[in-house]
Amino acid sequence: MPEAREALLERLESQARLLRRNVWRALRASGGGHAGGSLSAADMLAALYFHTLKVRPHEPDWPDRDRFVLSKGHANAALGAVLAQAGFVEDGVIDRFYGMESPFGMHPDIKMAGVEMSTGGLGHGLPVGVGMALGARIKGRSFHTYVMLGDGELHEGSNWEAAMSASHYRLSNLTAIVDANRVSQSGHVAEILGIEPLVDKWRAFGWEVREIDGHDMGQIVDAFGALPFNRKKPSCLVAHTVKGKGVSFAEDTYVWHSKDVDDEILQKALAELTPLERATLTETLEPVTTELEAPR
Ligand SMILES: [Mg+2]
């Protein structure tokens, strides 16, 4: 019997809350890192790894798994933490963020189970995602490829070369997710180099586009559930988010793009992120199987 919508959203919101706590936990372990872009992406990552993606945490190289590429690789605190919550890696790895010999680095590294591409140099994820989606077609596999991009990352021209290629090849098995938190490393995107009208740009490049509130779990689940938005085009989800979401002093500011985290800051952050009722550690360690019923 399918999970009731209310229970589903409650479960995913609990995972997202725990994910934000784990991001701060990781940043404290390393002494600092990229809070803002990790926290803006947290709700979508929770929905992907606990509902949408067809993955097997205990068989990370399963050939038919969906591919997820975090092109905005500086947000790896969130990717590593969600991989731990989903059971790809053990929970303790969160406490070894950016540590010597740790697979959990400041940017994604394919030596960590569940990471599909080492990223961090911006503008590389979507071109590789195009290759993954083309590869699926050539090999006759039904997996879907998702690439998450930052809005500031869209300053990189390679994204638009990839966007042209994806529509040329009609890659309906490819989805770009833009974490549109409006803020970049050193200021607001609109002030550094404007990218609007963003939706019109993606449409002009031949993509089917939807816009959502990237912190509204109902909208997130509905959008992922509607993929592909068009059976002859790649899909783009423009998710409007808040950089640093969830902790008041980190929200909507470039200052928290990357910053040191000491014990005092950690406690201030966690005080604003009290666990939701269902977000117990026991629950997060339950094995997840999120295989979709129908191929895409
Ligand atoms: Mg941004």
Side-chain angles (χ1 to χ4, degrees):
M1 197 171 112
E3 187 177 11
R5 180 176 175 83
E6 195 177 331
L8 169 67
L9 298 184
E10 190 182 339
R11 180 171 65 82
L12 297 178
E13 284 163 2
S14 294
Q15 290 290 353
R17 176 65 64 95
L18 183 66
L19 179 52
R20 288 195 166 89
R21 291 178 63 85
N22 279 332
V23 165
W24 286 100
R25 176 182 156 200
L27 296 180
R28 178 64 196 106
S30 62
H34 300 86
S38 299
L39 297 166
S40 61
D43 297 297
M44 292 182 283
L45 288 171
L48 284 165
Y49 279 92
F50 287 93
H51 181 62
T52 301
L53 293 180
K54 188 174 60 172
V55 290
R56 294 176 177 171
H58 301 294
E59 191 186 350
D61 296 328
W62 175 43
D64 286 320
R65 70 192 183 282
D66 286 337
R67 269 58 165 181
F68 175 77
V69 173
L70 183 68
S71 191
K72 41 171 278 178
H74 52 277
N76 192 41
L79 177 61
V82 83
L83 290 174
Q85 286 176 219
F88 283 86
V89 292
E90 48 102 16
D91 178 78
V93 82
I94 295 171
D95 301 311
R96 293 189 287 124
F97 182 49
Y98 210 34
M100 290 290 285
E101 307 295 328
S102 173
F104 188 17
M106 196 61 73
H107 297 87
D109 189 315
I110 53 170
K111 67 176 179 252
M112 183 158 166
V115 173
E116 297 287 353
M117 177 184 170
S118 297
T119 52
L122 297 173
H124 297 172
L126 193 58
V128 172
V130 167
M132 289 174 170
L134 270 174
R137 177 185 292 169
I138 290 165
K139 292 190 171 184
R141 295 195 180 276
S142 61
F143 67 78
H144 198 90
T145 298
Y146 301 77
V147 178
M148 182 179 281
L149 304 150
D151 50 359
E153 182 181 9
L154 295 179
H155 292 154
E156 298 286 352
S158 48
N159 289 305
W160 301 103
E161 297 174 34
M164 277 192 286
S165 301
S167 61
H168 175 81
Y169 291 111
R170 300 187 176 193
L171 295 178
S172 60
N173 58 349
L174 175 66
T175 295
I177 303 164
V178 181
D179 181 7
N181 60 29
R182 305 186 306 120
V183 179
S184 186
Q185 182 174 16
S186 54
H188 279 80
V189 173
E191 292 164 9
I192 293 170
L193 182 60
I195 58 173
E196 295 294 342
L198 186 58
V199 168
D200 291 343
K201 281 192 174 76
W202 284 98
R203 286 196 178 123
F205 275 77
W207 291 57
E208 192 75 23
V209 189
R210 277 200 191 185
E211 287 180 274
I212 59 164
D213 174 345
H215 301 307
D216 182 315
M217 198 57 82
Q219 290 187 35
I220 295 169
V221 167
D222 289 346
F224 287 151
L227 290 170
F229 300 148
N230 183 314
R231 296 212 164 268
K232 293 184 177 176
K233 295 179 179 181
S235 302
C236 177
L237 185 63
V238 175
H240 298 286
T241 59
V242 175
K243 194 148 180 162
K245 176 71 175 177
V247 171
S248 56
F249 60 81
E251 287 190 351
D252 198 31
T253 172
Y254 73 88
V255 172
W256 274 95
H257 176 86
S258 180
K259 201 173 184 330
D260 292 350
V261 175
D262 60 17
D263 285 333
E264 187 184 346
I265 289 170
L266 174 67
Q267 293 312 318
K268 276 175 69 178
L270 294 183
E272 293 192 33
L273 293 168
T274 50
L276 298 179
E277 202 170 311
R278 287 167 52 86
T280 63
L281 187 61
T282 307
E283 183 181 16
T284 66
L285 294 179
E286 284 175 8
V288 293
T289 48
T290 55
E291 294 180 33
L292 297 175
E293 288 166 13
R296 292 184 171 162

